Amino acid sequence: MSAGVPEPDSRGWTVLGGYLGAGKTTLLNDVLAATAGRRIAVVVNDFGSINVDADLVSATGQDTLELADGCVCCSLSDGMAAVLERIRAIEPAPEHVLVEVSGVGDPLAVARWGDHPGFRRNGVVVCADVESVRDRARDRWVGDTVLRQLRGADTVVLTRTDLVAAHRTEAVAAWVATVAPHAEVLWDRQAVLARLEVGYGSATPAGTQEPDQHLSRHRSWSVVGPGPVDASALVAVLADLPPDVVRVKGRVRTSADPSRWTVVQLAGARVAYDDGGPVAGPGLRSSLVVVCAGDRSGDPPVVGKLRGLLGGDD
Amino acid sequence: MPLVIYPAALVRTMDPARPTAEAVAVQDGRVRAVGTVQELEGYGEHRLDDRYTGRVLLPGFVEAHAHTMGGALWRHTYVGYDERMSPDGRRWPGCRTLESVVDRLREAERALTDPEEPLLAWGLDPIHFPGERLDRRHLDAVSVTRPIVVVHQSFHVSTVSSAVLRADAITAETRVEGVVRDADGEPTGELLEPVAMGLVRSVPTIGRMGFDRGGLLAFGADARNHGITTIVDLGNTDLMDDEAVAGFREVVDDARFPARLSVFHMGGGLAQAVAAEVATERLLSLRASSSDKLRFGHVKLVLDGSIQGYTARLQPPGYLPDDRVGIWLIPPPVFAEMFTTFHRAGLTVHVHCNGDEATELFLDTVEAALAAHPRWDHRHTVTHSQLTTPAQYRRMATLGMCANVFANHLWYWGDEHRDLTLGPDRASRMNAAATALRSGVPLSLHSDSPVTPMDALATASYAASRRTRSGAVLGEHERITVPQALHAMTLGAAYMLKMDHEVGSLEAGKLADLAVLAEDPFECDPDSLREVQVVGTMVGGEPFTVGRDGA
Ligand SMILES: Nc1nc2c(ncn2[C@@H]2O[C@H](COP(=O)(O)OP(=O)(O)O)[C@@H](O)[C@H]2O)c(=O)[nH]1
Ligand SMILES: [Mg+2]
Ligand SMILES: [Zn+2]
Ligand SMILES: [Zn+2]
């Protein structure tokens, strides 16, 4: 694309941060698996070997770029400009870019590159290993780094929750809420995936969301199912949403045309339905994520209704 | 090859066993002997060469921390505040006002024939123009059509002309942080930090850390102009690439290239590094293929950022203004793994540690690595070592480590460190060359070109005087003597490159590398040391003249 021509802000820019071993690459690979067939570019800024599943990446036509080079005086990486240029050159353009930041990197700083022409800044997702994050946050060498990462997050994803009792996960979630009160804390893997799968977050840069989203705690649910979904029933369910539902996002195959995706998005008070292109392969499931404000304990009724519609196995 | 005897006004050998001499005798690129002319004539068939009559000869200086990018910058227009000599020997007076910056750019603009070609300049330091700011209007006065980019000395800010703003669609609507705006919200042309600087896509950036033939030639010439005969490229990202290595050989092994070069592998902290195990194997084979002039095999790792950028890792009490403590460039456990891999393989590792917490981590890592894999004479080096404490220097002595101290910071940023980043106490203790020597730690001093200019005598002068730009002496008790500073710039640096048996002093059998000076630097006071004129160098018996011979 020649300089001076305005580009569509087409490519979502989502940043994955978190300390070494927090589960960034695992999450990245899960997202790539869940989004097989969609155009997602991956940027890794990690040390040693690159452990993004290379087969997966090449099998689905996704592009993996490495971040290299840096500033001679302080070594801060400025190779990102070149990475953006390479992503701009990819044809057809990827819908999304997922950036895995180094374990000591500041994901919020990397998120700023998402304001560049041709990109759309999405959220900052920070992985936190429930088993170790609180110790890491007190660590002599990296405590401040870990806390800075969490404070920069829009979403904190708790990882390795399968290895601890539920009450410990809850306790870590409560602690994260004190460190990063603005962040949403998720750990249900399907909810996390659904969120990332549909293009994480909104087009709103961090810090400019409505104040109520900032201050309150959110919970989210994901609904995934083989579909196809009855189109008119879906519209009916989503037409009547209670006010604590702040976000519904996802893509579904509907009975109207099971060969194409329908992208569903609650924007303001209105639900938009847009064509999401052809369904690239068999076995791809419909998925929706529902985010509610407040500390609700049980499932909201809308989630139950959507499960019924999607034939949800979750 | 016949013996050639070079009589001089004085020879300073840096060898305490024979500290001064009248002349040097050279044979087959090596020192045959130093002594009186009469003595040297006793070594058999010879020729007298009187080119150095009246000159003072020292071992060629060794710069153990610089980057080839320092040479590459001279492709572009210099607009800095201080007078500098370009590799071709031309003197560029400092631009003391914004008007003179604009005049320099006009002159450079007139020399460009292709109207499309962008004009790049570097070296601007706005600290010298308080209350004024270079902006797009200054640059538009040079040309309204030609793209112009001025990169500031910090390398963290650039100023661009309206033609660039237009070409890259940088407007009032641009959201990116770091785009400086005027009262109407329009970009002024100033772009802060890489995220905003990266908006400029129509003009290429000013340098990189891979192999760069032209930059390398200029780097060698720059060294020659400052009496430096051994230079280090401290951290190259291209050594896994055969073509780049062949490029290095072609340039450096050519007799016309006026310096020896030790190319370190950039092992981590900057680039997407190859795995340490892979790099190690490659480096061992490259090391075996080193020539007299071109050396491979050492490793550079980068642990933290810079003090002036508040990104160096500091132990308590941290920075002066607030509770920032800096950033790590490599996660500590990854650093330990990488370092230990290189250490076990017998390689020497120089680690960028600006802050004392970075030094502390490095020392803990070395201690653990030595306990697990004992090794003598490793010469692992703390490079920059700006805030290394006395206790850390004592540990370094015990661990067998070396310090390469960033003395130029005292002059270039000393006032800022005292007033803004650290406060007077710790600023007075920074770059503690005297403490290093008192503790018995082998010492060198460096420029980190292009961060500051590569000029061995100036670097020695800053360590000896510790004077800042404002004229204050920053930490008088950390001053070292002129002879100590010159030792650091010769044998001291050679030692941490494991080249002290070959260069760094003038002794029988060592390589015939000389710095040719107009006067005796040992007789200078610390401040006037940097005024001593460099006339030329000799590398392996080959003479080079400042601004002329060689590359
Ligand atoms: N049991 C379990 N292991 C996980 C989970 N997420 C990551 N891991 C493991 O933790 C290790 C580090 O994960 P990785 O994604 O490479 O971390 P990164 O350094 O943040 O990229 C790997 O061995 C993963 O398999 C999880 O949710 N549960
Ligand atoms: Mg990873
Ligand atoms: Zn820097
Ligand atoms: Zn450097």
Side-chain angles (χ1 to χ4, degrees), chain A:
Chain A
M1 189 156 306
S2 72
V5 179
E7 297 167 69
D9 288 348
S10 51
R11 306 166 191 88
W13 181 262
T14 301
V15 178
L16 287 181
Y19 189 63
L20 197 67
K24 301 178 293 296
T25 303
T26 304
L27 178 58
L28 189 61
N29 275 330
D30 285 358
V31 174
L32 295 180
T35 55
R38 294 181 64 191
R39 306 258 335 138
I40 311 243
V42 173
V43 180
V44 284
N45 170 212
D46 212 343
F47 297 91
S49 55
I50 306 159
N51 46 5
V52 173
D53 188 332
D55 292 342
L56 180 62
V57 172
S58 54
T60 57
Q62 285 147 338
D63 300 273
T64 304
L65 299 92
E66 296 165 27
L67 181 56
D69 279 346
C71 166
V72 70
C73 80
C74 64
S75 321
L76 286 175
S77 191
D78 60 359
M80 194 61 96
V83 168
L84 296 191
E85 211 53 48
R86 281 160 61 201
I87 296 172
R88 288 188 184 101
I90 296 172
E91 290 284 353
E95 299 166 54
H96 275 89
V97 184
L98 289 174
V99 188
E100 180 181 338
V101 183
S102 113
V104 287
D106 179 3
L108 188 56
V110 175
R112 296 189 182 117
W113 289 93
D115 288 333
H116 271 238
F119 297 87
R120 188 184 70 249
R121 179 164 161 182
N122 283 333
V124 171
V125 179
V126 173
C127 296
D129 168 12
V130 279
E131 288 192 301
S132 65
V133 65
R134 296 185 71 173
D135 287 340
R136 291 274 177 276
R138 281 190 296 266
D139 183 88
R140 170 183 178 195
W141 305 110
V142 299
D144 64 293
T145 304
V146 168
L147 290 171
R148 182 169 56 224
Q149 289 169 345
L150 291 171
R151 290 188 187 117
D154 296 308
T155 299
V156 174
V157 173
L158 303 184
T159 61
R160 300 161 79 94
T161 53
D162 52 312
L163 302 176
V164 302
H167 69 89
R168 277 193 63 192
T169 299
E170 298 279 354
V172 173
W175 173 80
V176 169
T178 66
V179 171
H182 303 313
E184 156 188 53
V185 185
L186 299 178
W187 59 89
D188 174 78
R189 191 38 71 109
Q190 288 304 325
V192 172
L193 285 184
R195 168 67 52 84
L196 284 161
E197 184 183 350
V198 296
Y200 173 83
S202 64
T204 339
T208 61
Q209 292 122 332
E210 309 81 81
D212 67 325
Q213 291 202 352
H214 260 328
L215 300 172
S216 62
R217 197 164 135 65
H218 291 79
R219 277 204 62 191
S220 63
W221 289 260
S222 79
V223 184
V224 182
V229 181
D230 180 336
S232 53
L234 180 66
V235 171
V237 168
L238 295 180
D240 185 28
L241 290 171
D244 64 332
V245 176
V246 296
R247 211 180 285 168
V248 177
K249 220 170 168 184
R251 51 174 201 170
V252 293
R253 295 163 60 210
T254 69
S255 49
D257 184 355
S259 70
R260 297 186 74 79
W261 291 114
T262 300
V263 174
V264 180
Q265 185 159 4
L266 171 68
R270 208 180 65 81
V271 181
Y273 300 90
D274 296 302
D275 179 52
V279 176
L284 293 175
R285 300 183 303 171
S286 298
S287 63
L288 286 170
V289 62
V290 176
V291 182
C292 291
D295 269 315
R296 171 187 282 280
S297 50
D299 289 353
V302 61
V303 169
K305 291 181 199 163
L306 290 173
R307 286 213 177 103
L309 280 175
L310 268 65
D313 50 7
D314 185 29

Side-chain angles (χ1 to χ4, degrees), chain B residues 247-259:
Chain B
F248 271 114
R249 293 194 210 280
E250 187 201 319
V251 172
V252 178
D253 284 333
D254 187 316
R256 287 166 300 180
F257 188 78

Side-chain angles (χ1 to χ4, degrees), chain B residues 364-388:
Chain B
D364 282 9
T365 307
V366 171
E367 196 170 304
L370 282 172
H373 312 284
R375 198 184 134 195
W376 54 93
D377 205 25
H378 47 75
R379 307 193 198 182
H380 297 314
T381 296
V382 180
T383 193
H384 292 333
S385 201
Q386 292 212 70
L387 290 171
T388 301

